[in-house]
Amino acid sequence: MKDNVRKIAYDVLMDIEFNGAYANLALDKALLRSKLNATDKRLVTELVYGTTKMKLHLDTVLSAYCDLKHTNKKIILLLRMALYQVLYLEKIPDHAILNESVELAKAQAPHTAGFVNAVLRHILRSEKTVSWPDKRRSRNQYYAKWYSFPQWIIDSWVKEYGFDNTEKLCAYFNEPAATWIRVNTLKASPDDVAAKLEFLGVDFMQHPQLPEAFKISSLQPLQNSDLFKKGQVIVQDLSAMLPAVVLNPQKNQRILDMCAAPGGKTTHLSAIMNDSGEIFACDIHSHRTGLIEENAKRLGTKNITCLTEDATALPVQFHHAFDGILLDAPCSGLGVLNRRADLRWRVRRSNLAEIEALQANLLDAAVKYLKPKGTLVYSTCTLNPKENTIQVEKFLARHDAFELEAFTCLGEQHPSGMTTIYPFDSHSDGFFIAKLVRKD
């Protein structure tokens, strides 16, 4: 079963579940070793990401057919993957799911094959009634099990965003993420890129308020095209383009990107400045600053200098040296849950305090580096008020020389100086942006 699609998917799921492997890294490693064709690779990806995302939903269904507490965990994982195919992959015949799953069980533990066969046959005949929480009386619990999210995330979202928006978030994050590209205006115009996308047969939508942003149907036709080879475009989510737009650096200014890797926002700043002035891009790890350098070289920017430094402790020559600072801070990532299948299960509420403390330290450090009357844009790709609005409010309480400044983004005015971007509104990542200016 060496190059069997389900065997490869199952091995990756085992690596994620029992070895703590990251889903994307484990999957990439397995696909690289395999000899599967493109279609089979897509199926492996669907099985791994889908089974991982929908784990709680699948276990709720399985609990009607077997006692999960007294079932071997590796067999539960096998049943999850089989059930995911039954519920979500309509094109796969039932007999193929059944036969392949039984063969996997024989390879894993021969004495379990009969059990797996019996459970799946019962499921295919829909012989049991699954017990879901009452949606009217226990709406939070229903969302958690039906959409497959940790209960604490659902509770947090309902408290902050309400029931309807929480359900929209859940539904959105269970769908594949949209693919956006940004035109590198140093090398091409949006019209040039639109014409090339049409020539390549790629369906696309150009954003009406941000002409350099294109939502595309597939990356595959672009991968060997001049658009990538000549650095005319970069893959970047729409929401991730907005912090640079809000900072709006001017020509010949000096800008600091405090947490810059892999460089999408840094190179966007450079394009907005028409490659003038100076941009210092910081990351604490050398392999990460290497990614920034690679992107800068491909996109042809000359005004970016990479710093492998702790952004909270830059040398004294950087104190009060910058006209603008972009702090796209490390965060819990609750706005990109459809991009990382295992993230919803990795993030722990107990870890949030550590993340919030790091964000606060980075914000306090930015104070040292910003010139009087300079602009600081703080952003995250999470949907968690403690990392977003509350973090900014605490910063303002500590630093009375700063105030929020109204801004316009994608045609909408944000008079409060802060905005939360709902992913289901823009078909992009969930994001938070705040614009702060130094008064003194």
Side-chain angles (χ1 to χ4, degrees), residues 143 147 149 154 157 165-174:
Y143 286 163
Y147 291 106
F149 282 84
I154 298 296
W157 284 349
N165 282 335
T166 296
E167 187 164 22
K168 289 179 183 178
L169 287 172
C170 291
Y172 183 85
F173 287 138
N174 282 346

Side-chain angles (χ1 to χ4, degrees), residues 1-8 11 100 103-105 107:
M1 302 184 73
K2 184 178 179 182
D3 279 319
N4 178 282
V5 168
R6 289 170 184 80
K7 174 66 165 62
I8 292 172
D11 286 345
E100 292 275 0
E103 289 302 311
L104 279 173

